[in-house]
Amino acid sequence: MPKIGDEDRLAEDRPTEDRLTPVLRPVRAGNGFEEALEQILQVLRLGLVPHGERLPAERELADRLRISRVTLREVLKVLQDQGLVESRRGRYGGTFVLDRPQPPGEGELRRRVAAVDVEDILRFREVLEVGAAGLCAADGLTGAPADQLRAALAATHDAPLAEYRRLDTLLHLTLAELSGSSTLTAQYAAVRAQVNDLLDGIPLLVRNLEHSQRQHTALVEAVLDGDADGAREVMREHCAGTAALLRGFLT
């Protein structure tokens, strides 16, 4: 029988794939990149693959997450850029876990996270965003309001990285304003400010921005087509992607 203190050693002796079972699961099709990144970040933060050890092979990880190896490589590239893993070639190569670096200003970010209920903020944001999208689509935007929404979308497509989050915020605020509810708009402005405080603490990921832009385009098309159900579903998926990234980097 195991002695007192043996539990940790026995857990370490378990095959890596067994240790990862509670965390790695098939992701939803809509946010494959973001949810895969969230799960692997959780693996690293929980220490399920300790510093110096190798992550499972790409084929295994892709199979567990039900994503393509192309998407997985994009996830691993982000983790490598953040100094969390290292790719090594050769017979004994693979993706190895590094000590997590302490980014500048992380103390301030942790203070912000500790001061708010992140899950509550993300839920409230989703309720407001999904509601605004549905209202705009149901009302049927035409004329100047439709042009205003198109212009806000176009601005995000042309935005340099340094301006992206500001213009992304303006697109979402435009949708809230066009919902016709001043109360909803005020509440959304307040919760978006809290979300932006958190987003400022994580890196801008080009792969994620490209995905967001596709969702933005689908969202605006659904709204202008008067497809309320479609607009709500796209917005719900979009919010879920942002939430996955924030959970991955901040929790």
Side-chain angles (χ1 to χ4, degrees):
M1 294 182 64
K3 299 177 182 178
I4 295 175
D6 279 351
E7 289 84 352
D8 291 339
R9 179 174 56 80
L10 291 174
E12 284 296 315
D13 290 341
R14 291 168 58 199
T16 298
E17 56 270 23
D18 291 342
R19 299 201 301 265
L20 303 187
T21 298
V23 175
L24 296 183
R25 59 197 180 279
V27 302
R28 292 172 293 182
N31 295 305
F33 170 81
E34 290 86 353
E35 292 188 17
L37 180 58
E38 176 190 14
Q39 290 187 38
I40 297 178
L41 278 166
Q42 189 175 8
V43 165
L44 301 182
R45 291 230 162 81
L46 291 173
L48 298 180
V49 180
H51 166 238
E53 285 196 16
R54 182 170 48 192
L55 289 174
E58 284 186 5
R59 178 179 297 176
E60 181 186 340
L61 275 177
D63 286 346
R64 280 173 170 264
L65 295 166
R66 304 282 175 84
I67 58 174
S68 70
R69 293 179 72 173
V70 171
T71 297
L72 176 63
R73 285 168 185 157
E74 291 172 339
V75 169
L76 296 177
K77 177 64 166 56
V78 168
L79 297 175
Q80 185 166 329
D81 290 344
Q82 294 302 303
L84 298 174
V85 300
E86 178 184 65
S87 178
R88 301 176 192 169
R89 297 182 179 275
R91 181 178 179 183
Y92 300 104
T95 302
F96 290 79
V97 177
L98 301 176
D99 277 332
R100 186 182 171 206
Q102 188 80 359
E106 184 167 350
E108 169 62 19
L109 177 60
R110 294 299 168 187
R111 185 193 65 76
R112 293 181 189 179
V113 172
V116 297
D117 184 336
V118 174
E119 289 300 324
D120 184 64
I121 289 171
L122 294 176
R123 289 191 189 98
F124 189 44
R125 181 237 178 156
E126 180 178 334
V127 168
L128 294 176
E129 294 259 34
V130 171
L135 286 171
C136 287
D139 289 345
L141 299 183
T142 58
D147 290 341
Q148 185 181 351
L149 186 59
R150 290 191 188 98
L153 174 65
T156 65
H157 283 305
D158 298 332
L161 281 178
E163 283 285 283
Y164 182 81
R165 279 189 177 141
R166 183 180 68 83
L167 294 171
D168 171 66
T169 298
L170 290 177
L171 170 62
H172 286 264
L173 277 173
T174 297
L175 200 64
E177 291 169 351
L178 294 176
S179 73
S181 170
S182 58
T183 301
L184 186 155
T185 303
Q187 291 292 319
Y188 177 69
V191 77
R192 180 64 190 232
Q194 292 178 299
V195 170
N196 282 359
D197 275 346
L198 301 175
L199 286 172
D200 286 343
I202 69 174
L204 280 165
L205 308 176
V206 173
R207 171 67 169 77
N208 168 250
L209 298 188
E210 291 172 348
H211 183 207
S212 291
Q213 286 299 86
R214 290 194 294 272
Q215 290 178 325
H216 285 158
T217 299
L219 172 65
V220 170
E221 288 176 352
V223 167
L224 296 180
D225 288 342
D227 181 3
D229 288 339
R232 283 191 289 265
E233 186 55 34
V234 173
M235 183 62 89
R236 187 175 291 110
E237 184 177 287
H238 183 61
C239 290
T242 301
L245 280 182
L246 285 171
R247 291 188 189 106
F249 278 102
L250 302 181
T251 60

